Amino acid sequence: MKSKGFILVQTLLATALLHTPLHAQSKRLVFNLTDPNEAARWTTEFHDSSQGAAGFQEGLFRLASGPDAPAFMERQVDFDSGEYNRMTVDMRVVNPDNPGGLVGSAAFLFDDNGMVIPESRILTNTPVGVRTSVVIRLDQSVFWTGHVNRIRFDPVWGVGRAYIASITLYLEPPPAPAPQYYFTNRETTAGWMIGEFDEQSSLFVARPTNIDSNGMAFTNTGPSPVLQNLQTNLNADLITSAELVLRNAQPISTTARFFWSTAEDPDVSNERSITLPVAPSMAWQTLRFDLGSHPGWAGQIGTIIINPTLAAGSTQVRSLRFEGIEGLGERGEEDALVTWRTHSEVGRELTSGNYKPLLVLITMDGNPFSTEIELDLAGNQRFLQNAREFHAVRMQYDDPATARVFTDIYRIPVLATMTWDFDRREWEVRERLIGPEVASDSVSIMERTLAR
């Protein structure tokens, strides 16, 4: 389903054109660590030499972390943070004491003086024992800004060895409210972990995958094969269903299950799951999970776990496609869910005696993190209802008017409530949220402002 634009308006203090970003092919910066010359440009610290030598070994970059401190690798670079927002690492982690499960991988950012910022750590999960694409979202950090002259990666936040083939920086376009995954090459599997849950320990054990133009194939030894993504960041209110296309190598009558967690309850449970029959066939099948009708499909979705079958053997998954609903709509549309206004419109409303407090949303067109926040708000019915009691205005980071109103603003989404001081004849900021708080706490500050 084609989605409309989400929050397109003119700014608060100046009339501005509506911008539609032009997304060309993503620019990429690839560090090929199978090349010994490139591998030599990386320096390492805290390598555990008891697990072997560091650096270029047998065609890959090798780095080991011990129990004392995570080992890390660094390289000098020269680019602007706005050119890239994602880092993908093609690697395999081995833990001699634990052949399965997950470990952490982390990226750190640096200040203008080239010193690492401890608070900038971005941590993600990496499966042990298989080659995988680890995705680190750089722009989720307020420190990902300005000129970048050095990058750091900690492949194993714990104990283990990492064999790294490449590190790639790229610019990912804003996320779709209802994403579609076609598992036909390794890049499209980034963020997904494929394996099974061990029957004895119930721990996740990663399995190798074979990927071609037909999809992603893997083999499991037990009855609980799984596709899982721990950081989907989906807004359930904007998604109605999910379609999974698969085929089994053996004609067995079985079932498929779709589980999810929410921000309020991060645990996956049977209360938030849908089960469908899988026909005893070796042909391609399409399973449609009706998510919108399930009472537990609500709010922010974090983890998704899919059992494509409940039988041992080989399975091939071609795609997972979510179907979505329409968004907020553009300014001026009759069916827009929020009436976004300009500064001059707000002024005319005040002059005519139609006093309301002001709700200001500051984001950036084309920025993925901003778009996610906008989608969260679009699916929040209490936010939409409360917004009717405000003069609602959206501003852009780079608009000069933004800096005049908010002199200390970070380059991350901001939501502020403001009231008009009739004595001083100016707007007064009541409360302000930044980053993820814009989605999680928006209703609270709106209701507090309305209560005054």
Side-chain angles (χ1 to χ4, degrees):
M1 178 181 295
K2 183 177 179 181
S3 297
K4 299 177 182 178
F6 287 94
I7 310 177
L8 298 176
V9 294
Q10 292 176 301
T11 61
L12 170 63
L13 299 176
T15 302
L17 295 175
L18 299 180
H19 298 285
T20 302
L22 300 177
H23 295 299
Q25 185 174 2
S26 176
K27 180 179 180 180
R28 290 176 178 268
L29 180 60
V30 181
F31 303 103
N32 180 13
L33 294 168
T34 66
D35 179 356
N37 294 320
E38 173 58 34
R41 297 185 177 97
W42 291 78
T43 59
T44 64
E45 291 286 344
F46 300 114
H47 169 73
D48 183 7
S49 58
S50 68
Q51 301 187 56
F56 187 79
Q57 303 286 333
E58 299 180 350
L60 296 170
F61 192 94
R62 177 175 174 172
L63 190 63
S65 284
D68 297 330
F72 61 83
M73 50 196 294
E74 293 183 347
R75 187 192 193 282
Q76 290 186 337
V77 293
D78 184 13
F79 59 83
D80 186 85
S81 60
E83 296 178 315
Y84 310 102
N85 59 14
R86 296 291 189 277
M87 182 168 72
T88 298
V89 184
D90 184 358
M91 71 174 185
R92 179 170 62 95
V93 172
V94 175
N95 186 341
D97 299 325
N98 185 7
L102 305 173
V103 296
S105 297
F108 283 84
L109 308 178
F110 295 80
D111 61 22
D112 294 338
N113 297 319
M115 302 298 293
V116 69
I117 306 172
E119 299 83 3
S120 71
R121 187 186 72 183
I122 307 171
L123 190 65
T124 190
N125 290 290
T126 300
V128 174
V130 296
R131 180 179 174 183
T132 187
S133 294
V134 179
V135 179
I136 293 181
R137 177 179 170 176
L138 300 168
D139 64 351
Q140 69 179 281
S141 172
V142 298
F143 299 103
W144 185 250
T145 183
H147 184 76
V148 180
N149 55 25
R150 198 165 186 84
I151 56 175
R152 167 178 163 175
F153 179 59
D154 297 35
V156 181
W157 195 260
V159 178
R161 296 192 303 272
Y163 299 88
I164 306 166
S166 66
I167 297 178
T168 302
L169 300 178
Y170 58 99
L171 185 66
E172 184 176 82
Q180 300 183 359
Y181 302 93
Y182 294 91
F183 302 114
T184 55
N185 59 67
R186 192 159 295 278
E187 284 189 356
T188 62
T189 67
W192 288 91
M193 302 177 191
I194 296 90
E196 60 183 306
F197 290 115
D198 182 78
E199 291 186 87
Q200 302 299 321
S201 65
S202 297
L203 294 176
F204 174 77
V205 179
R207 296 300 182 201
T209 57
N210 294 317
I211 300 174
D212 58 27
S213 58
N214 284 317
M216 172 179 60
F218 65 100
T219 301
N220 55 287
T221 59
S224 298
V226 64
L227 285 72
Q228 65 176 355
N229 191 320
L230 306 183
Q231 296 178 324
T232 58
N233 295 320
L234 301 179
N235 188 330
D237 296 328
L238 301 179
I239 295 174
T240 59
S241 64
E243 285 191 351
L244 182 70
V245 179
L246 59 83
R247 64 181 177 184
N248 292 320
Q250 51 283 327
I252 299 175
S253 181
T254 180
T255 58
R257 300 186 299 187
F258 187 105
F259 297 85
W260 64 91
S261 72
T262 65
E264 291 74 20
D265 187 355
D267 294 330
V268 174
S269 65
N270 289 327
E271 286 71 27
R272 288 188 297 274
S273 67
I274 297 177
T275 300
L276 293 177
V278 178
S281 171
M282 297 171 62
W284 288 104
Q285 302 182 51
T286 299
L287 307 180
R288 185 177 184 276
F289 299 92
D290 185 7
L291 302 171
S293 63
H294 195 289
W297 183 255
Q300 190 71 15
I301 305 301
T303 295
I304 287 179
I305 295 179
I306 301 174
N307 300 124
T309 175
L310 294 180
S314 298
T315 302
Q316 189 170 32
V317 179
R318 174 179 287 171
S319 62
L320 172 65
R321 300 188 304 112
F322 290 95
E323 294 184 355
I325 62 175
E326 298 292 348
L328 283 176
E330 296 183 10
R331 181 179 180 276
E333 291 181 349
E334 293 183 0
D335 60 348
L337 301 181
V338 173
T339 304
W340 299 100
R341 299 181 178 275
T342 65
H343 174 240
S344 58
E345 289 171 329
V346 173
R348 287 196 297 270
E349 293 283 351
L350 288 173
T351 301
S352 63
N354 183 12
Y355 171 74
K356 291 181 180 180
L358 194 68
L359 182 73
V360 181
L361 177 65
I362 304 173
T363 55
M364 174 174 281
D365 289 341
N367 175 266
F369 191 37
S370 292
T371 301
E372 287 189 12
I373 294 295
E374 293 166 11
L375 295 179
D376 287 337
L377 297 178
N380 187 329
Q381 294 302 314
R382 291 177 65 190
F383 171 83
L384 299 177
Q385 183 177 0
N386 284 335
R388 300 171 188 170
E389 306 301 322
F390 287 83
H391 295 301
V393 181
R394 179 197 174 201
M395 304 175 72
Q396 290 284 308
Y397 292 143
D398 52 0
D399 192 304
T402 304
R404 291 198 295 270
V405 178
F406 301 99
T407 57
D408 58 344
I409 189 170
Y410 288 109
R411 294 179 63 84
I412 55 177
V414 173
L415 184 73
T417 59
M418 305 172 70
T419 54
W420 179 255
D421 188 320
F422 285 93
D423 293 330
R424 292 185 296 171
R425 301 193 61 79
E426 63 182 26
W427 290 100
E428 177 184 352
V429 176
R430 288 296 186 182
E431 294 192 57
R432 186 172 67 171
L433 303 172
I434 63 172
E437 295 176 347
V438 171
S440 62
D441 298 342
S442 60
V443 172
S444 297
I445 70 167
M446 293 167 76
E447 291 180 348
R448 284 195 293 269
T449 299
L450 292 172
R452 291 184 172 131

